[in-house]
Amino acid sequence: MTINDSVKKILVSEEEIETIVCSLADKLNFRYKDKEVVLILVLKGSVIFCADLMRKLTFPVILETMKVSSYGSGTVSTGELSIDLDIKTDISGKHVLIIEDIIDSGNTLYKLKKMLGARNPESIAICTFLDKPERREADITADYTGTVIPDEFVVGYGLDYDEKFRELPYVGVLGEWVYEK
Ligand code: IMP
Ligand code: MG
């Protein structure tokens, strides 16, 4: 595998991603056995993770997408949440699973979970591929976490910097020369 010029280090390799996704799917398949679950894919960062994960699920799912943003084009969260695209499905009485790429400050998910929780789902849980607990500001933890990473800005496997690098098949640390120029 060739490393992209903008990436200084690979944090989670393709092989590790496969192992992590399988292990998350095992836990979810146990928890939601025979239940129907509304998966809420948070655009755009979770697209690749959700596509990989949902193909390993053995319970029925309804896929919904939401677009929320708390980030501008930089690398630091503004803390503001804007709902750019909402779901159309009525989630009251349903099992809801929010699929996230990464929890950083936690501000986005904290507000999103509160907003969806107010619509009276039967249950609501969060599944995140990555977690950066060192940067947490909001009081939130994921119910299912793929892997914990240090406080570094990462790209790839759906995660972007200024809309770029989502296509990388691994998770890498972005070189500071990319955003400091
Ligand atoms: P939070 O509200 O600070 O938890 O951040 C939420 C969103 O910021 C995530 O869903 C990502 O889209 C983005 N984000 C946070 N950290 C990173 C990173 O290291 N690389 C790319 N995007 C990130
Ligand atoms: Mg995101």
Side-chain angles (χ1 to χ4, degrees):
M1 187 199 310
T2 53
I3 184 161
N4 185 287
D5 286 344
S6 305
V7 170
K8 66 175 178 188
K9 182 172 71 182
I10 294 180
L11 259 194
V12 194
S13 69
E14 281 187 75
E15 294 72 23
E16 287 164 338
I17 289 173
E18 172 71 13
T19 307
I20 291 167
V21 174
C22 283
S23 138
L24 285 172
D26 284 349
K27 289 178 190 145
L28 295 170
N29 287 334
F30 179 75
R31 160 68 180 90
Y32 295 109
K33 191 176 184 332
D34 299 331
K35 303 211 161 52
E36 184 182 84
V37 178
V38 180
L39 294 184
I40 302 197
L41 188 178
V42 184
L43 292 169
K44 305 175 193 170
S46 314
V47 163
I48 298 175
F49 170 49
C50 189
D52 280 352
L53 182 70
M54 68 186 286
R55 281 177 288 176
K56 296 187 186 336
L57 301 178
T58 50
F59 51 88
V61 302
I62 305 277
L63 180 65
E64 286 288 340
T65 50
M66 279 191 86
K67 181 136 178 49
V68 297
S69 45
S70 67
Y71 262 62
S73 60
T75 57
V76 179
S77 173
T78 60
E80 294 295 314
L81 183 76
S82 71
I83 307 284
D84 305 328
L85 173 72
D86 203 345
I87 53 170
K88 305 253 175 352
T89 306
D90 176 9
I91 57 167
S92 70
K94 306 247 173 83
H95 293 284
V96 170
L97 183 64
I98 303 172
I99 310 290
E100 257 292 12
D101 49 357
I102 187 166
I103 312 184
D104 187 29
S105 72
N107 290 324
T108 312
L109 265 186
Y110 180 82
K111 291 175 200 153
L112 183 62
K113 191 181 179 192
K114 209 167 145 188
M115 195 191 105
L116 293 172
R119 299 181 189 178
N120 301 315
E122 166 77 23
S123 73
I124 183 161
I126 296 168
C127 176
T128 187
F129 180 64
L130 300 173
D131 187 9
K132 272 200 257 183
E134 281 170 58
R135 304 221 339 142
R136 198 72 91 253
E137 292 168 12
D139 179 20
I140 191 135
T141 34
D143 303 86
Y144 304 92
T145 299
T147 188
V148 170
I149 60 165
D151 178 13
E152 291 187 280
F153 195 82
V154 294
V155 292
Y157 198 59
L159 289 140
D160 73 307
Y161 169 67
D162 206 9
E163 293 302 326
K164 294 188 277 275
F165 311 113
R166 296 191 196 274
E167 71 279 18
L168 300 179
Y170 49 79
V171 175
V173 179
L174 189 66
E176 48 285 343
W177 61 88
V178 179
Y179 53 87
E180 279 173 2
K181 66 180 178 215

